[in-house]
Amino acid sequence: MDYVLHIMVIASIYVILAMSLNLIVGFTGLPALGHAAFYGIGAYTSALLALNFGASPWIGLIAGAITAGLLGFVISFPALRLKGDYLALATLGAGVIVYSIAKNWVAVTRGPMGLPGIPGFTFLGYPLDGVWAYLILVLAFVGLTTFVIGRIVNSPFGRILKAIREDEIGTQAMGRDVNYYKVMVFMIGAAFAGVAGSLYAHYITFIDPSSFTLMESITILLMVVFGGLGSLRGSMVGAVILVVLPELLRFLGMPSSIAAPLRQMIYGLLLVLLMIKRPQGLMGHYRFK
Amino acid sequence: MVQQLVANGIIAGSIYALIALGFALIYRTVKFFHFAHGVVYTVGAYLAYTFTITVGIDPLVSFFLAVILAGVMGLGIDRLVYYPLRRQKASDLIFLLASFGIFIFIQNLIQLLYGAQILTLRRGPIVEGHHVLGTIITNTQILILVTSILLSVALWLYVKHSKLGKSIRAVSDDPVAASIVGINPERVIGLSFFIGSMLAGAAGILISLETNLEPTMGFTAILKGIIAAIIGGIGSIPGAVFGGYFLGMAENLGIWKIQAGWKDAIAFGILILFLLVRPGGIMGIPTERERL
Amino acid sequence: MSTILQISNLSKSFDGIQALNRVSLDLPRGKISAVIGPNGAGKTTLFNVLTGFLTPDEGEVSLGGKIIEDMRPHKLALLGIGRTFQNVRLFAQMTVLDNLLLAMKNPKGVSLWAALARPQIMQAEEHANRARGLELLELFRLADKAGELAENLSSGQSKLVEFARLLALNTDILLLDEPMAGLYPEMIETLKKTMQALITQGKTILFVEHNINVVMDISDHIVVLNHGQKIAEGPPQEIRKDEKVIEAYLGKRQDASA
């Protein structure tokens, strides 16, 4: 039972990641390939505050959201000048640089040794030790993310985001400062990814750079594309399916030396087939331009 | 110390140049980022390993075979995945994502078949290198350098002078006009995938003579190849070679005072700098076209 | 006659081709002015510079006597210089009404804060804007298309929606890039009347047009460009007689239509 709950916690964390990336990629049309960097900086900020200063995970979560948001601010700059493949490459590069810092700045992050013993969340003084208690906590954040991002994309603000996705030049001609919206979208999307990182760090209690690689960014992007660009419900479905599906391999009794690459092979094949057969994903209407 | 770093930079640059060269050649005709080029490099190395170590064929013959098969594989990727996308007039990003998919699929297939551990193509004890100008250079490194230069020059001459090479240029400049004068763009695209992928395969084999093979080796390699191609001015043949050596030197001199682990960060730092400041690369001329 | 927009010595070149060569002109307030000239004369480049999509190599633009320092496109739109595009640019995968709503000012509702915490303020503004949008669409008898995706419109309808969207933007100066191209004759008449009606509301229009009859018919002032240079300027009756214009533009046009 705990195993099923555990998978649900992980799936929920990916739902937050996928929805926050969908805001950037799906609703605004900016191909960002460095989402794991925001996820990672949220996790590290929160974990380091707890380990070095004994800060409450709640403080860490807020701090993680803020540092991730600031990183989003920095990474949004390439988005002001670059488009398409080149933007994808620049954000990918930013992700690699952040990963590199986590791996090489050993004095702070302990590098590849990672950070063990991260304390868990507490609620009104009670530690959340059961997996079910964590699930409720994470689901509450899924609810918050859905509310905030849902409100944003269905507002006049969100309409401008979709206009940017359609035609940047046309949007500027309407008197809208495209750069402002791009920066905001990166900051908001990054902040939610930071929240996901903090939830992950305090749940697993150990983090190392290997959880925040480029492959992780591509996996999150795959969830978004699979569910459908510009569809929040799609991101939920996409994240849940892509987390649960590979777990089925484990039920077949495969050793992890086979299950791990097989899982990635499924992801890779799925990405290729999606692009050829259904680039708008399960629930989306919009395709990459 | 500095001399050794320069020498290392030149060797690394030779490999980057070969990858960038194939990547640039393909980019010229299809105009999207063929990320899976990196996994062709990996496959080249693993094929060479299989032929020489597992089967026990003569190394030269098996390297030759592996290079040809890498070319065939590139061609296969184009026919199976990119060709249907071209027919749908898919956007560059769809090509890029599909390319990621191919990369992930094949890389993990290799891991499934050969395991995640490091393998080596080297046989016998490590021979001490030659002392040249205060540096130590091994025979393998000389081989890498010479092969890389020879292949670069050969490709450059081929694209510049042969009939097929000229048709590659025609298709990259204006595919519609090229088809009007009777050049079949699909044939030219296939050719550029074949040649470009052979170069990637060759690079993969050369590097595994020098270091090791592992399933993930193509990942950093293609990233460096793309960075080199962009530094040199994307799609330019001499630019790709120049970019490869530039990147190799910059990375190796960059770690003069800091740890070697920062190499990737340096490479991407250079990339982002180039993208923002001089997106046309060193050889390309940045132009402001009418966007409306 | 007062000048609303003063353009002085604008130059712009691409890859060695001089698209605009020291062009100066004064746009009279509350009038219809036209820019004509053969293909490649620099008309669209002029529009792109005036709306901030291209940065001029030299020269400056003054609005109401003040030099415009910040020539970013959205700033110019907010300052009151709006435009349509030669190749209609609608937001294809959005509804016709959403296209208009994007152009309308919504200072209260557009903020993130409103989206998250003040939906009632946002909705009040939206409501008023929707009503206004439908009114504008009705001008062109397109109100029934309000919920249609822009990509499903015919090319003539798209053109009119783009014009309605420019009216929704509500700028003092309207730059129209070939507004008549591809329209039915009766639609051309409607559009001419609409342009004249806008003038009576105090708007200023500058338009590029190949339909010379329309230009001669409704323009108060005509500017002729050729190879990036201004070769003539004046009221229609003078332009009609100008030797240089006949040679550069009208002559060529007759050849082309022959």
Side-chain angles (χ1 to χ4, degrees), chain C residues 24 32 59 64 69 139 150 240 246 252:
Chain C
S24 297
I32 298 181
E69 301 286 351
L139 274 183
R240 216 187 281 275
I246 293 167
K252 264 191 188 165

Side-chain angles (χ1 to χ4, degrees), chain B residues 230-290:
Chain B
I230 288 178
I231 291 175
I234 189 136
S236 152
I237 304 285
V241 176
F242 175 83
Y245 284 102
F246 180 93
L247 182 64
M249 294 291 260
E251 267 185 5
N252 281 284
L253 288 176
I255 56 164
W256 188 7
K257 301 279 184 201
I258 53 178
Q259 289 167 311
W262 292 100
K263 265 188 194 174
D264 291 354
I266 293 170
F268 274 98
I270 294 173
L271 170 75
I272 293 174
L273 207 68
F274 262 91
L275 285 177
L276 292 180
V277 179
R278 205 179 162 81
I282 288 175
M283 304 267 173
I285 307 148
T287 55
E288 185 192 23
R289 284 170 301 142
E290 289 260 12

Side-chain angles (χ1 to χ4, degrees), chain C residues 6 40 42 66 73 78 105 108 138 174 186 230 238 253:
Chain C
Q6 188 175 38
K66 258 199 274 177
L78 294 175
K105 308 257 179 323
K108 292 198 193 95
E138 194 46 49
L174 292 85
E186 55 266 40
K230 185 173 80 178
E238 273 177 36
R253 194 175 156 74

